[in-house]
Amino acid sequence: ARLVEEIRADKRALDRRPELIPDDLRVAFASPTFTVECLDDFDRLDRDRSRTLTPEEVVPVLHRLCAGASEGISWDLVRRFVDIFDQNRDGRISRSEFVNLVKFVRVVSYLQSAPPPPQPADPRVAQLVETIRRDKNALSSRSDLVDKET
C-alpha cells in the first residue's frame, strides 16, 4: 500500500527511489533493451495507432505481467492502474506512462510472489524492529521496549 501511495504521489518514484526495487529487477530496468521491449509491447497493444492505450488495450499486458494472479485483474483494478499512471488525466496511457506502469506492475508482482520475511517468535521483537525502522533513536526514548529483567 505504501508503494502504491508513493507512486500515486510521484509517478517517477521507482526511478528516484531504487531501494524500493529488488536488485534483479533494478538490473533488468537498467538494461537498454527494457525500454525498447516496453515500447514494442506498447505498439503491439495500440491497435488503433492512437499512440495512447485505452484501459481495454492495457488489459493484455496486465494479464501477462501478473501471470499468477490474472484471475484477480478486474476492470476496477485496470481503471486504478490507468488512473495512477495517467499523468495528463486523459483516461489513456501514453508511451512514457506505459514504461512506468510496466515497472510498477513488475515490482508489485515480484513482491507479491516473494515469500514473506520470517517473523520473530516474540512479538516485542517485531514491535521493536518496526519502532526502530521509523525512528532510529527509539531505543533511547522507549525504554518500555527493552526487557529490564535480563
Side-chain angles (χ1 to χ4, degrees):
R2 191 183 100 216
L3 180 60
V4 172
E5 291 309 313
E6 278 195 52
I7 296 294
R8 187 182 302 277
D10 177 6
K11 305 303 183 253
R12 294 213 165 284
L14 289 176
D15 293 331
R16 295 188 217 301
R17 302 266 319 273
E19 72 276 8
L20 297 174
I21 305 172
D23 290 339
D24 53 342
L25 286 181
R26 194 174 320 138
V27 169
F29 295 162
S31 162
T33 61
F34 176 78
T35 300
V36 171
E37 289 170 1
C38 285
L39 297 178
D40 286 347
D41 280 347
F42 181 96
D43 291 340
R44 276 190 292 281
L45 295 167
D46 184 20
R47 291 192 181 107
D48 61 2
R49 301 295 178 233
S50 63
R51 301 199 45 87
T52 61
L53 298 178
T54 64
E56 293 81 7
E57 291 172 314
V58 171
V59 170
V61 78
L62 292 179
H63 278 283
R64 191 183 84 238
L65 292 172
C66 301
S70 61
E71 66 279 351
I73 297 176
S74 65
W75 276 111
D76 181 55
L77 182 62
V78 172
R79 283 191 283 280
R80 285 177 55 205
F81 276 126
V82 170
D83 181 59
I84 290 170
F85 290 93
D86 178 19
Q87 292 178 312
N88 64 357
R89 315 307 301 153
D90 65 354
R92 301 171 73 88
I93 297 295
S94 70
R95 291 169 67 83
S96 62
E97 293 166 345
F98 183 74
V99 172
N100 288 325
L101 181 144
V102 170
K103 285 182 181 179
F104 176 77
V105 172
R106 288 201 46 198
V107 168
V108 169
S109 294
Y110 180 94
L111 294 175
Q112 287 181 337
S113 68
Q119 296 297 313
D122 186 337
R124 294 178 299 166
V125 173
Q127 181 185 8
L128 179 61
V129 168
E130 184 58 33
T131 301
I132 292 171
R133 187 173 288 140
R134 282 181 277 160
D135 176 8
K136 302 301 182 217
N137 298 316
L139 283 179
S140 60
S141 63
R142 296 282 312 267
S143 60
D144 61 307
L145 295 176
V146 180
D147 189 0
K148 293 176 178 66
E149 296 181 27
T150 53

